[in-house]
Amino acid sequence: MKSRFLMLMVAGFFSLLLTGCGYNDFQRLDEQTKSAWSEVLNQYQRRADLVPNIVATVKGETAFEQETLTKVIEARAKATAIQVTPETLNNPEAFNKFQQVQGELGSALSRLMAVSERYPDLKANQGFRDLRVQLEGTENRITVARNRYIQAVQDYNVLARSFPSNLTAMVFGYSVKPNFTVQNEAQISTPPQVDFTKKP
């Protein structure tokens, strides 16, 4: 009877210790980041799935700039060629590479949409207009999904770096996760030059 009571006391002590060390919080936040990441991937896939329809519609405009179209096709091929695994979330190099190819696809599509403004027949094409609306909606969904992922990673990383949960992180190997960054950070952090002395 005494040994059973002692075992219950020890089990209770370890339960209390695990609760206070953040182990369960790591499990919850790790799953939250994976879920948020899945939604980011879902939206990127939705965008990639729109590209063939957009390309097919644009090809109907015979005089359309071939170089712009080729860049979109190549960017989509790169973006869909990267194999994303759960380890991608914990590998800054793989994460940055994935982010870079998705950024290239986004840039190529933005260029395509800008160039399409010069083609009245294409702008008047109802199918193209519908695809454009879908693409804009998808880009908005990507932004929302990325913002949710950024918040989930922030919550996880704060736990991984705070005391005493950082000790649990060291013991169980919960390292800080990489997050989305701005590709042209140096460029956008430079203040714009404004000169009011020049006349138009």
Side-chain angles (χ1 to χ4, degrees):
M1 185 75 176
K2 194 173 185 180
S3 63
R4 184 177 170 166
F5 178 74
L6 186 59
M7 285 177 61
L8 287 172
M9 288 292 290
V10 169
F13 172 74
F14 280 114
S15 295
L16 187 60
L17 187 63
L18 282 176
T19 302
C21 72
Y23 180 82
N24 290 335
D25 290 332
F26 275 112
Q27 303 311 305
R28 179 178 53 80
L29 293 176
D30 189 47
E31 288 303 317
Q32 192 172 317
T33 57
K34 287 176 185 173
S35 174
W37 177 247
S38 292
E39 185 55 25
V40 170
L41 292 179
N42 183 37
Q43 296 309 324
Y44 278 141
Q45 185 61 53
R46 186 175 194 268
R47 178 174 68 181
D49 291 344
L50 281 173
V51 171
N53 293 332
I54 291 170
V55 168
T57 305
V58 170
K59 277 185 179 176
E61 182 67 43
T62 53
F64 195 83
E65 295 177 22
Q66 190 60 40
E67 182 184 351
T68 303
L69 202 52
T70 302
K71 285 185 179 176
V72 170
I73 294 166
E74 289 172 354
R76 181 188 186 271
K78 282 184 195 175
T80 55
I82 289 187
Q83 295 297 316
V84 180
T85 64
E87 289 74 36
T88 304
L89 292 177
N90 299 320
N91 182 337
E93 188 178 316
F95 189 85
N96 286 337
K97 185 175 181 181
F98 176 79
Q99 183 179 343
Q100 182 181 357
V101 296
Q102 290 298 333
E104 288 172 12
L105 178 56
S107 295
L109 284 168
S110 293
R111 172 87 178 125
L112 177 74
M113 292 301 130
V115 168
S116 71
E117 292 293 321
R118 294 188 226 149
Y119 296 88
D121 290 345
L122 188 57
K123 283 172 56 179
N125 180 317
Q126 183 63 45
F128 183 74
R129 287 200 313 247
D130 291 346
L131 288 167
R132 186 177 195 141
V133 167
Q134 286 183 50
L135 181 62
E136 288 170 359
T138 300
E139 292 296 339
N140 289 337
R141 289 177 183 192
I142 288 170
T143 300
V144 169
R146 282 176 51 136
N147 286 341
R148 287 182 182 150
Y149 176 76
I150 288 167
Q151 185 60 54
V153 169
Q154 179 185 348
D155 294 344
Y156 175 92
N157 286 346
V158 166
L159 184 67
R161 297 178 66 201
S162 300
F163 183 82
S165 54
N166 65 334
L167 301 176
T168 304
M170 284 189 291
V171 170
F172 290 100
Y174 295 120
S175 56
V176 171
K177 294 181 184 292
N179 216 330
F180 285 107
T181 58
V182 178
Q183 290 183 2
N184 57 344
E185 186 174 351
Q187 180 184 353
I188 64 172
S189 63
T190 305
Q193 298 294 322
V194 179
D195 186 358
F196 292 108
T197 60
K198 293 181 183 175
K199 293 182 180 178

